[in-house]
Amino acid sequence: MRRREFVVALPGLACRSGRPRLNVFNWSDYVAPETVPAFEAEFGVRVRYGTYESGEEMLAKVLSGNSGWDVVFPSNSLVEPMREQGLLAPLRHAWLPNLDNLEEGFRRPPWDPKLDWCVPYMWGGTGIACRREVTPPAGWASLWEERWRGRLTMLDDPAEVLGACLKKLGWSVNSTDPVELRRAGEEARAQKPLLRAYVNAEVRDQLVAGDVLAAQLWATTALQAMEETAELAFVWPAEGFPLYADNAVILRESGRVELAHRFIDYLLRPDVAVAVVKATKTATVNAKAKALLPERLRLNPVLYPPAEVLRRGEWFTALPAAAQRLRDRIWTEIRAA
Amino acid sequence: MSRLRSWFLAPAGLWIAFFVAAPLGVVAAYSLLTRGTYGGLSEPWTLENYLRLADPLYLKILARSFWIAGLTTLLCLILGFPLALFLARSGERKHLYLALVILPFWTSYLVRTYAWMFLLRDTGLVNTLLIEAGWLERPLALLYNDGAVILGLVHGHLPYMVLPLFATLERLDRSLVEAAGDLGAPPRETFFRVVVPLARPGIAAGSLLVFIPCLGAFLTPDLLGGGKTVMIGNLIQNQFTAARDWPFGAAASLALMVLVMLMLGLLLRRGGERFL
């Protein structure tokens, strides 16, 4: 065997020596502790399970086309870019009998109407978490009030911060209009002196401890904090708010497409999905699972906002390069101000 | 003889070729490409990424990074010099003290930065103690400002200043210090006119070892600055993550590298024989 062939064949040999192995790369804290071990036991396979903290981190790794992962979980706004880049393998619905468990709305999501490339997994939105001792903010506009000075945080994420400013001004979170984006940037700079910091999930402890009075936060993170203390409330902003969904996809580089389908189908089982919701406090896209949830979760307005609230939500979408570049410059301006 | 020499040099040469020259070449190539529609790289080849750097916004961020890195270096020097002097003169126990200086390296820098967050926050140790002692009524805003960033950077980089200073000061000829005293120089004069000039190589090496990594810092400003300040390192990191603009990030990092090299070159040329 020539050396090159040997190197190429190595991973295959490693596989043949044991049980087949599936490589799954998911957001951190996005399955229940028993989800993966139970799959391994039932299907007689091994799973290499890795986690990431940001969609960009995952994208940077899989862009190479030989990252070694089979199944990853991009947000809805990344599905189309990943497909365009030829990173995704088409799905075979014949191998996904549990697809029928999906909620009506997630069987034809705007980012992949026929589910040719992705299967929605979990979803959520961004709102405001606040301490109960203060008058709750009604919407994004309240976060410009002097009373928060030094005790307010916004997310460390340009799409979220600009999204909140755009909503405050009555525009779309996905705006690509330079005039609207510049105005949103001005709003963010006007708010900055009131802010304690731009932080993500780390704010959870500071909200629980009472250092921070209000924070722009993902509903799922807020719910985790609310499990720790009764002192917190969550507001779905009056002006509207962004929504996102994370989706299971199979990478084109994967050599275990059938097993990958089996794994995704396994995640679609109601009992598996219920355990995941209980562990992660994140809303499932699975209608059958939702029906099985305890009332405390199923009727929780943070996890499942009522229909009239949900109507104010707007899905994040993929943005064209020029808008992305302008947004990045505005974000840098905000942070350097 | 020379054949033997080249054999011994080969590992280092290969190392540099594979782990310095090749990645730098990749970065240089990236910096001349264009961002793809959804990130990644695409044609055409262009110099536009470098032209974009001339933006006053980015120059302001660069100036800010120089200011923060410079202040950190100065503070490390002020704190590190007496410490190094003490180490150099502590005779037998020198090794114990040296071990203590290096001790923080046993814990990852990230973990130590998080430790600072726990110390500095409103309900953190420092504020709690001050309030319990009755010295404060409301917690001080210690975290998420430039002060916290500089504190974190000084803490993380102090050993890089102390170790080269110690190496120079230890070799310093004590008889010169004694001679200064014998000739009537008060301790202050002796320190500034004899010890400091003799320690110059250590000062230069320590300052470079602190200044250069601080200039590119991105973790500390993110965690202790709460994302409210941007250093050039944050700008570059952001291009590779949220902005998905690798070519611009590559151009920025290469430009920074060239700038630092030029400054080093100037410094060495002007004061080479005095410094190193």
Side-chain angles (χ1 to χ4, degrees):
Chain A
M1 196 186 280
R2 283 211 316 265
R3 191 181 304 161
R4 197 184 145 78
E5 282 172 84
F6 176 70
V7 170
V8 171
L10 258 181
L13 285 175
C15 260
R16 220 169 296 157
S17 65
R19 295 174 289 170
R21 190 178 75 172
L22 186 69
N23 303 286
V24 179
F25 199 30
N26 198 353
W27 294 86
S28 59
D29 298 324
Y30 233 30
V31 286
E34 69 274 18
T35 308
V36 172
F39 176 78
E40 287 178 317
E42 183 178 332
F43 288 80
V45 295
R46 284 183 310 141
V47 175
R48 180 170 68 112
Y49 188 80
T51 62
Y52 52 88
E53 299 287 338
S54 80
E56 280 76 19
E57 187 189 333
M58 178 273 290
L59 187 65
K61 285 190 179 138
V62 306
L63 262 181
S64 66
N66 59 4
S67 63
W69 298 108
D70 299 304
V71 179
V72 298
F73 293 79
S75 324
N76 54 313
S77 57
L78 272 185
V79 171
E80 197 193 333
M82 286 178 76
R83 183 178 55 83
E84 289 276 323
Q85 302 245 340
L87 294 172
L88 304 186
L91 296 179
R92 288 181 58 173
H93 288 204
W95 286 341
L96 297 168
N98 288 327
L99 215 49
D100 291 337
N101 296 350
L102 284 180
E103 258 179 55
E104 198 53 42
F106 290 105
R107 286 188 213 172
R108 282 180 295 279
W111 55 92
D112 185 13
K114 285 151 92 190
L115 297 184
D116 290 325
W117 308 94
C118 75
V119 176
Y121 177 53
M122 309 270 253
W123 66 279
T126 314
I128 305 165
C130 74
R131 300 278 305 176
R132 285 202 191 274
E133 65 257 32
V134 294
T135 322
W140 298 119
S142 315
L143 297 185
W144 270 254
E145 287 164 11
E146 186 61 32
R147 63 180 169 131
W148 307 114
R149 186 173 284 273
R151 315 277 303 266
L152 167 71
T153 67
M154 296 289 278
L155 289 168
D156 185 14
D157 183 323
E160 294 285 3
V161 172
L162 287 175
C165 295
L166 286 163
K167 276 291 169 200
K168 176 183 185 248
L169 295 164
W171 293 319
S172 159
V173 294
N174 299 311
S175 173
T176 56
D177 178 348
V179 179
E180 290 181 6
L181 288 172
R182 288 214 179 81
R183 278 282 294 118
E186 284 166 27
E187 288 288 341
R189 267 181 292 161
Q191 186 201 31
K192 195 182 169 193
L194 298 176
L195 292 185
R196 181 189 200 81
Y198 292 105
V199 286
N200 294 337
E202 303 98 271
V203 79
R204 193 169 74 191
D205 296 341
Q206 301 187 42
L207 269 171
V208 172
D211 292 6
V212 168
L213 291 179
Q216 181 192 30
L217 203 57
W218 299 297
T220 164
T221 316
L223 198 59
Q224 289 162 7
M226 289 162 82
E227 292 282 309
E228 286 176 54
T229 171
E231 296 302 310
L232 291 175
F234 186 80
V235 175
W236 292 107
E239 302 95 333
F241 49 86
L243 290 171
Y244 61 85
D246 293 308
N247 307 268
V249 301
I250 301 173
L251 293 178
R252 175 157 286 176
E253 63 176 84
S254 169
R256 307 163 192 85
V257 177
E258 188 175 347
L259 185 56
H261 277 84
R262 298 275 174 257
F263 182 72
I264 294 174
D265 197 55
Y266 166 81
L267 292 179
L268 284 167
R269 286 185 197 169
D271 55 324
V272 174
V274 165
V276 173
V277 177
K278 283 183 182 164
T280 63
K281 307 287 179 293
T282 309
T284 178
V285 295
N286 195 314
K288 288 217 178 112
K290 188 181 168 189
L292 292 174
L293 283 176
E295 215 163 76
R296 192 174 62 86
L297 289 172
R298 186 161 40 90
L299 299 179
N300 188 320
V302 182
L303 197 60
Y304 287 108
E308 71 273 13
V309 172
L310 206 50
R311 222 168 294 139
R312 301 201 298 269
E314 185 186 3
W315 292 104
F316 275 130
T317 61
L319 296 169
Q324 186 95 48
R325 185 196 270 200
L326 178 61
R327 278 166 171 256
D328 178 62
R329 197 184 177 290
I330 290 172
W331 176 238
T332 310
E333 261 175 43
I334 296 168
R335 300 225 300 164
Chain B
M1 182 63 202
S2 82
R3 180 115 174 254
L4 195 66
R5 214 173 92 178
S6 57
W7 272 111
F8 275 109
L9 282 176
L14 282 177
W15 175 274
I16 289 173
F18 276 112
F19 295 111
V20 181
L24 264 181
V26 172
V27 174
Y30 278 15
S31 75
L32 296 171
L33 281 160
T34 311
R35 178 193 193 273
T37 318
Y38 294 115
L41 303 161
S42 79
E43 306 242 334
W45 296 83
T46 170
L47 278 175
E48 202 227 342
N49 299 308
Y50 289 97
L51 300 178
R52 270 169 76 192
L53 280 172
D55 189 324
L57 174 66
Y58 301 137
L59 296 179
K60 186 175 135 191
I61 292 170
L62 187 66
R64 212 190 142 68
S65 312
F66 269 88
W67 161 245
I68 290 181
L71 196 57
T72 305
T73 311
L74 187 68
L75 286 171
C76 279
L77 186 60
I78 292 172
L79 288 171
F81 204 98
L83 180 58
L85 207 56
F86 169 77
L87 284 175
R89 295 189 178 171
S90 48
E92 291 284 287
R93 316 184 72 167
K94 189 166 65 185
H95 297 291
L96 171 69
Y97 294 145
L98 261 182
L100 289 178
V101 169
I102 303 168
L103 193 67
F105 283 138
W106 293 3
T107 311
S108 123
Y109 183 58
L110 182 68
V111 173
R112 284 182 282 142
T113 306
Y114 270 102
W116 275 114
M117 292 175 69
F118 283 101
L119 286 174
L120 297 178
R121 42 187 255 199
D122 280 14
T123 46
L125 191 66
V126 176
N127 271 317
T128 312
L129 283 180
L130 288 176
I131 291 173
E132 292 287 321
W135 292 352
L136 274 183
E137 287 202 353
R138 301 162 143 269
L140 288 172
L142 299 173
L143 190 58
Y144 300 140
N145 52 45
D146 283 0
V149 174
I150 291 172
L151 180 70
L153 287 174
V154 168
H155 162 88
H157 294 86
L158 193 58
Y160 297 110
M161 180 65 91
V162 172
L163 295 177
L165 275 177
F166 164 76
T168 337
L169 289 172
E170 200 199 17
R171 275 180 284 137
L172 191 137
D173 189 348
R174 290 290 284 273
S175 57
L176 291 173
V177 178
E178 282 160 20
D182 290 347
L183 292 171
R188 221 182 105 95
E189 291 282 301
T190 311
F191 178 75
F192 282 108
R193 299 180 60 172
V194 179
V195 178
V196 171
L198 286 173
R200 217 176 246 154
I203 296 175
S207 301
L208 286 179
L209 285 178
V210 174
F211 184 79
I212 293 175
C214 284
L215 195 61
F218 63 90
L219 201 76
T220 320
D222 239 13
L223 293 177
L224 297 179
K228 284 197 295 180
T229 54
V230 234
M231 287 177 70
I232 193 81
N234 302 106
L235 181 77
I236 294 169
Q237 184 215 16
N238 196 47
Q239 299 312 312
F240 285 94
T241 54
R244 272 183 265 150
D245 195 343
W246 294 5
F248 184 53
S253 57
L254 217 58
L256 180 66
M257 211 178 308
V258 169
L259 195 66
V260 171
M261 295 283 236
L262 279 178
M263 280 173 37
L264 259 181
L266 271 179
L267 209 70
L268 288 180
R269 243 174 105 181
R270 285 187 50 191
E273 64 284 2
R274 265 187 308 152
F275 274 133
L276 300 169

